[in-house]
Amino acid sequence: MSENHENSGPFEGSSRRNLQADCENCFGLCCVALPFAASADFAIDKAAGQPCQNLQSDFRCGVHSSLRKLGFRGCTVYDCFGAGQQVSKVTFGGRDWRQNPGSAKQMYEVFTIMWQLHELLWYLTEALTLQPARMIHGELRLALEETQRLTRLDPDSLMELNVAAHRAEVNALLLRASELVRAEALRSQKEHSGRRKTYGRGADLIGAKLRGANLSGANLRGAYLIAADLRGADLRVADLIGADFRDADLRGADLRGSIFLTQAQINSAKGDAATKLPPALTRPTHWSEFGA
C-alpha cells in the first residue's frame, strides 16, 4: 500500500504545535466554560461558567496527576486544539476572567467558538499534507488562511461569526480531500483485496466485532465505534473525522496514515504499545493499564 499521504509537508511543523493545548498559557478555560454531568467520565456535576472544584488560583488543576483515579476521566480525553491559549493570551490580551469578571461570560462563549476554528485548522493543516489531494491544495490553503484570519478577530466579531456556515464550507473541502486520498489508496491495493465492507457517514458500529478487520480506506466519518472491538484492525487511510472511539479497543490496530484522527479520539479509546499511530499523535499514558 502506498502511504505517501502520511503527515509530512510544509504545514506540519510550527502550525501543528500551535494547535496543541498549552495549559501554562491558558486561564483554565476548559475547566470553567464547559459543563459536565456526573457520569462514568465525571465524578460531579458542573454548570457552564462555573469553575471546577479542582481548579486552583493559578488556573492549574489540583488533581491533574490523579484525574482518572478520582473519576474525572473526561478531563484526560479533552483537547482544545490550542484554543485556550489563543483566547487567553491573544483574543483577550492576557486579561483573565478573575481579574475582569465583566468579560468572563463573553470569554467563555468565545472559547467555544475558537475551539471550533482551531479544530478546523487541525484538519486543514493535515489535508495540506495529503499528496493525493494536491489538486485542491490551493482551495485548502485559502480555507486555512481564512480560518486563521477568523481566529484573530476581536471578541465582539467572534461572537457574531456564523461558525456553522464556515464549518460547512470547510467540511465540503475536507470531504473532497478524503475522497481523493481514499480512492488512490483503494486503487493501489485493489489487486490484493477481496470484497470490502462499506459504511456510510454516522454508521452505528457500537460494540461491533471488528477484530482484525480490513478497514483501510474506509469511510468512517462520524461512525459510532463506542466499545467496538478493533484489535489488530487495519485502519490505514480510513477517514475517521468525528468518529466516536470511546472505549473502543485499538490494541494492536494500525492507524498510520488514517485521515483526520485527533488526539481526543485516541485519548478516549483503549490501546497498547502495539497500536500504531500517526506521527502527529501521542500515545496516552493511561494506555499502559490495558497491557500489551
Side-chain angles (χ1 to χ4, degrees):
M1 172 187 290
S2 170
E3 291 189 6
N4 63 352
H5 58 278
E6 285 198 24
N7 296 327
S8 61
F11 289 87
E12 181 59 23
S14 60
S15 294
R16 272 288 173 92
R17 287 194 293 272
N18 292 337
L19 297 175
Q20 296 173 341
D22 179 5
C23 297
E24 293 300 316
N25 285 297
C26 176
F27 299 140
L29 294 179
C30 64
C31 306
V32 185
L34 306 179
F36 51 74
S39 62
D41 291 322
F42 296 100
I44 59 173
D45 292 315
K46 190 192 82 65
Q50 172 190 334
C52 175
Q53 64 182 28
N54 299 314
L55 186 65
Q56 301 179 131
S57 59
D58 61 356
F59 303 112
R60 302 294 167 259
C61 176
V63 295
H64 185 266
S65 61
S66 305
L67 283 167
R68 295 181 71 86
K69 183 171 66 175
L70 296 175
F72 291 91
R73 183 177 66 166
C75 297
T76 67
V77 171
Y78 181 75
D79 181 17
C80 75
F81 296 100
Q85 64 260 28
Q86 177 73 14
V87 172
S88 299
K89 298 300 184 179
V90 180
T91 312
F92 283 85
R95 300 182 302 277
D96 69 69
W97 48 270
R98 283 187 173 132
Q99 294 176 332
N100 299 274
S103 65
K105 185 176 184 298
Q106 185 182 49
M107 184 179 292
Y108 304 153
E109 294 180 15
V110 165
F111 171 67
T112 62
I113 295 168
M114 190 67 71
W115 180 89
Q116 295 181 70
L117 293 175
H118 274 229
E119 181 186 32
L120 293 178
L121 288 176
W122 177 273
Y123 293 140
L124 286 165
T125 300
E126 178 175 344
L128 281 163
T129 72
L130 305 175
Q131 290 306 307
R134 54 191 173 274
M135 67 175 62
I136 63 168
H137 276 190
E139 294 174 76
L140 288 165
R141 190 170 289 105
L142 288 174
L144 177 69
E145 292 170 355
E146 173 60 11
T147 305
Q148 289 174 327
R149 184 189 70 81
L150 295 177
T151 67
R152 296 191 289 268
L153 293 175
D154 60 78
D156 290 338
S157 298
L158 282 164
M159 293 282 288
E160 295 174 0
L161 183 63
N162 188 340
V163 183
H166 184 65
R167 286 182 69 94
E169 292 177 5
V170 171
N171 188 61
L173 273 177
L174 296 175
L175 179 57
R176 287 170 60 193
S178 168
E179 290 170 344
L180 289 167
V181 173
R182 290 185 294 108
E184 178 173 296
L186 291 174
R187 281 195 300 271
S188 70
Q189 61 176 294
K190 187 176 181 180
E191 61 186 69
H192 304 294
S193 60
R195 297 185 63 185
R196 310 173 62 82
K197 180 69 175 177
T198 58
Y199 301 100
R201 180 176 176 83
D204 185 353
L205 296 170
I206 297 175
K209 306 301 182 184
L210 296 168
R211 184 172 186 174
N214 179 7
L215 297 170
S216 59
N219 178 7
L220 292 170
R221 294 169 67 90
Y224 294 95
L225 289 158
I226 302 167
D229 184 355
L230 289 161
R231 285 175 291 173
D234 185 351
L235 288 155
R236 289 175 295 170
V237 208
D239 186 343
L240 303 177
I241 195 168
D244 192 337
F245 280 102
R246 281 177 293 168
D247 292 323
D249 195 339
L250 295 175
R251 287 177 291 175
D254 192 346
L255 295 109
R256 292 173 299 174
S258 56
I259 309 170
F260 305 134
L261 184 65
T262 68
Q263 189 66 51
Q265 288 171 295
I266 288 299
N267 291 347
S268 69
K270 300 174 182 177
D272 62 9
T275 306
K276 300 178 179 66
L277 297 175
L281 302 180
T282 303
R283 195 176 308 276
T285 56
H286 64 264
W287 275 12
S288 60
E289 66 189 65
F290 301 115

